[in-house]
Amino acid sequence: QVQLQESGPGLVKPSQTLSLTCTVSGGSISSGGYYWSWIRQHPGKGLEWIGYIYYSGSTYYNPSLKSRVTISVDTSKNQFSLKLSSVTAADTAVYYCARVDSSGYMPRYFDYWGQGTLVTVSS
Amino acid sequence: SYVLTQPPSVSVAPGQTARITCGGNNIGSKSVHWYQQKPGQAPVLVVYDDSDRPSGIPERFSGSNSGNTATLTISRVEAGDEADYYCQVWDSSSDHLHVVFGGGTKLTVL
């Protein structure tokens, strides 16, 4: 059974960089066939996709966040990470990591999710 | 950009059938996936590729997709089905491949 677990600071100051890590267990990121993604949810709101990465390092980002987002992968630790720069209060949200099933190289659906971690941007 | 439209809320009595729609331009040409999210929990995939169910999801959950509307149908609704439901597709317009989520529908079991 694949499990994902987010970790990182729960409080980030405005203008700083939000950094989160997702640790994957029960499966190898390097095995291929899946993408690894970050999604966030503002308090009381819907889901917003941030981006995803393949184990090779290829990335796709939400165009609305692309200028501030970096997603990276560390296959030796079976982890992938999110960095979001120049944060403001509008970046306060629950951040989820998730696995994306794929068909060939086409992403499909999010089949496993982490429990989510609340990140608050405040001074 | 591609937009998915869901009704904000749907109410149904226990034992009845709930239908949650997801509207999008020619959505029938895309694969639609549905997620259930209960308060304080992560979303759970309940239907993928329009109408397939992951293992462990009851047969009461089904989906369809045609034209400009995809529908998640929950038969014999139970109190435990009360949750927010989100539809999701991938869109490749604007030379970007990206995820689109619907705004979510809150299912209330009366």
Side-chain angles (χ1 to χ4, degrees):
Chain A
Q1 177 81 345
V2 174
Q3 293 185 314
L4 296 89
Q5 178 68 58
E6 305 90 352
S7 59
L11 181 64
V12 180
K13 289 181 166 51
S15 80
Q16 294 190 340
T17 295
L18 178 159
S19 296
L20 296 174
T21 295
C22 183
T23 300
V24 180
S25 58
S28 173
I29 285 180
S30 302
S31 63
Y34 302 100
Y35 293 89
W36 304 91
S37 187
W38 290 96
I39 298 146
R40 70 180 182 179
Q41 186 170 35
H42 295 102
K45 302 297 184 182
L47 301 168
E48 180 181 28
W49 173 68
I50 298 172
Y52 70 73
I53 191 166
Y54 197 58
Y55 78 94
S56 63
S58 298
T59 54
Y60 270 105
Y61 299 137
N62 184 327
S64 68
L65 297 169
K66 185 176 181 178
S67 63
R68 299 194 293 130
V69 172
T70 302
I71 297 177
S72 59
V73 64
D74 186 338
T75 55
S76 67
K77 295 181 178 179
N78 221 32
Q79 296 175 334
F80 62 106
S81 298
L82 168 70
K83 291 187 184 299
L84 182 65
S85 63
S86 304
V87 298
T88 69
D91 295 308
T92 294
V94 174
Y95 287 76
Y96 295 99
C97 58
R99 190 180 82 167
V100 188
D101 184 84
S102 70
S103 175
Y105 287 100
M106 285 301 297
R108 298 168 70 196
Y109 46 83
F110 302 91
D111 57 356
Y112 289 96
W113 296 65
Q115 65 185 25
T117 186
L118 174 63
V119 178
T120 301
V121 178
S122 175
S123 56
Chain B
S1 61
Y2 195 79
V3 176
L4 294 175
T5 301
Q6 298 182 237
S9 63
V10 168
S11 299
V12 64
Q16 299 304 303
T17 297
R19 294 179 178 85
I20 299 172
T21 58
C22 177
N25 184 34
N26 197 26
I27 195 174
S29 66
K30 300 180 182 296
S31 290
V32 180
H33 317 297
W34 291 92
Y35 303 88
Q36 175 195 68
Q37 186 179 33
K38 296 182 179 179
Q41 298 183 19
V44 172
L45 180 70
V46 293
V47 167
Y48 67 95
D49 290 348
D50 298 337
S51 59
D52 290 333
R53 274 186 318 277
S55 60
I57 300 301
E59 292 183 5
R60 301 185 297 104
F61 288 81
S62 62
S64 62
N65 184 19
S66 179
N68 293 318
T69 305
T71 303
L72 173 69
T73 301
I74 309 172
S75 303
R76 303 180 299 283
V77 166
E78 303 173 357
D81 298 331
E82 189 163 283
D84 294 326
Y85 291 84
Y86 295 90
C87 56
Q88 177 249 313
V89 301
W90 288 86
D91 180 55
S92 58
S93 61
S94 306
D95 296 326
H96 292 100
L97 179 63
H98 58 275
V99 175
V100 182
F101 286 105
T105 298
K106 180 176 181 58
L107 175 66
T108 298
V109 181
L110 300 171

